[in-house]
Amino acid sequence: FEICFSRNTYFLGGMNLFIIAGIVMSYALILITQYYTDYSYSPVKSIAEAGTTGHGTNIIAGLSVGMESTGLPALAIATALLSAYALGSNSGLQGANAGLFGMASATMGMLCTAVFILSMNNFGPIADNAGGLVEMSEKGEEVREITDKLDAVGNVTKAATKGYAVGGSALATFVLFRAYLDEVSAWTGHPFETVNLAKVEVIIGGLLGITLVLVFTGWAMAAVGRAAQAVVKEVRRQFHERPGILDGI
């Protein structure tokens, strides 16, 4: 679609540059995620090399790479937000929400590629199980070498979809927050433009919000752990009661 503003136009090949900013950000996030999770690149190789000297160094290397991997996505998200806001503010759209319109358009631009990302997400678990299936069927090492690559591809595609989801959420967060401010202004009848971090109520609200993320993450991990324990116990029970189960007896 095209929207022509009174003062300036921002189109490239008939496409709104706000939307292009979101598409470019989504592509950048996919490339960054691939760099940090694909075995062809140095971050994963450094973790594998650290594993040769013990479990402790392997865990340290993994945590190090994981924390380092947050830097480039943050820069990509910040660049996309600032670009979309600047384009919107200088587009000629009247009113204080011109920059917000640019950011909302960038969010839509990123989300328009969701169908491809979801397809990658569906492919991930299928390829990720290749190594396990070969091991259970007791195939040779030459087959396992092939499926190990499929296993790695599955891990990368699943990580890429998670990175995409984080980027989309980051773009949408500011738009939702701005909408919240507008709703409060309409409800109270007074302009509500800023959130004062010097107020103790605001600090407490932010603290509780951050804590909720950690608490719910812990509950989710605990639920996964309990489910995994139940699976392991059931497998052990079947092996104990039917020793020849692997032989098809």
Side-chain angles (χ1 to χ4, degrees), residues 167-182:
S169 301
L171 281 182
T173 297
F174 185 86
V175 179
L176 293 174
F177 186 68
R178 181 67 250 185
Y180 164 74
L181 296 181
D182 292 340

Side-chain angles (χ1 to χ4, degrees), residues 2-190:
E2 288 192 4
I3 302 176
C4 294
F5 299 113
S6 58
R7 192 148 48 98
N8 300 313
T9 55
Y10 291 102
F11 295 100
L12 180 62
M15 184 174 292
N16 193 317
L17 282 186
F18 310 144
I19 297 177
I20 292 179
I23 296 175
V24 170
M25 194 202 77
S26 65
Y27 187 64
L29 289 178
I30 295 297
L31 292 180
I32 293 170
T33 304
Q34 182 177 359
Y35 172 73
Y36 278 104
T37 57
D38 197 318
Y39 66 90
S40 302
Y41 299 102
S42 58
V44 175
K45 290 182 178 179
S46 66
I47 297 175
E49 183 179 358
T52 60
T53 55
H55 302 299
T57 53
N58 185 250
I59 294 174
I60 293 173
L63 290 174
S64 173
V65 171
M67 293 181 180
E68 178 191 333
S69 66
T70 61
L72 290 179
L75 289 177
I77 293 171
T79 302
L81 285 173
L82 186 60
S83 300
Y85 188 85
L87 288 171
S89 299
N90 294 280
S91 63
L93 184 67
Q94 300 299 320
N97 291 329
L100 185 64
F101 172 78
M103 297 175 65
S105 299
T107 304
M108 294 303 298
M110 181 177 183
L111 294 179
C112 74
T113 61
V115 60
F116 309 109
I117 307 301
L118 291 176
S119 299
M120 293 170 57
N121 189 45
N122 293 332
F123 171 78
I126 299 173
D128 197 26
N129 289 328
L133 293 174
V134 169
E135 184 175 350
M136 292 176 64
S137 59
E138 298 181 355
K139 298 295 183 181
E141 288 296 327
E142 67 281 359
V143 180
R144 185 58 193 262
E145 290 179 2
I146 298 174
T147 57
D148 281 346
K149 295 181 179 180
L150 288 175
D151 201 325
V153 169
N155 292 331
V156 172
T157 55
K158 288 187 292 185
T161 56
K162 293 175 176 61
Y164 175 86
V166 169
S169 301
L171 281 182
T173 297
F174 185 86
V175 179
L176 293 174
F177 186 68
R178 181 67 250 185
Y180 164 74
L181 296 181
D182 292 340
E183 287 294 326
V184 173
S185 298
W187 182 63
T188 60
H190 302 284

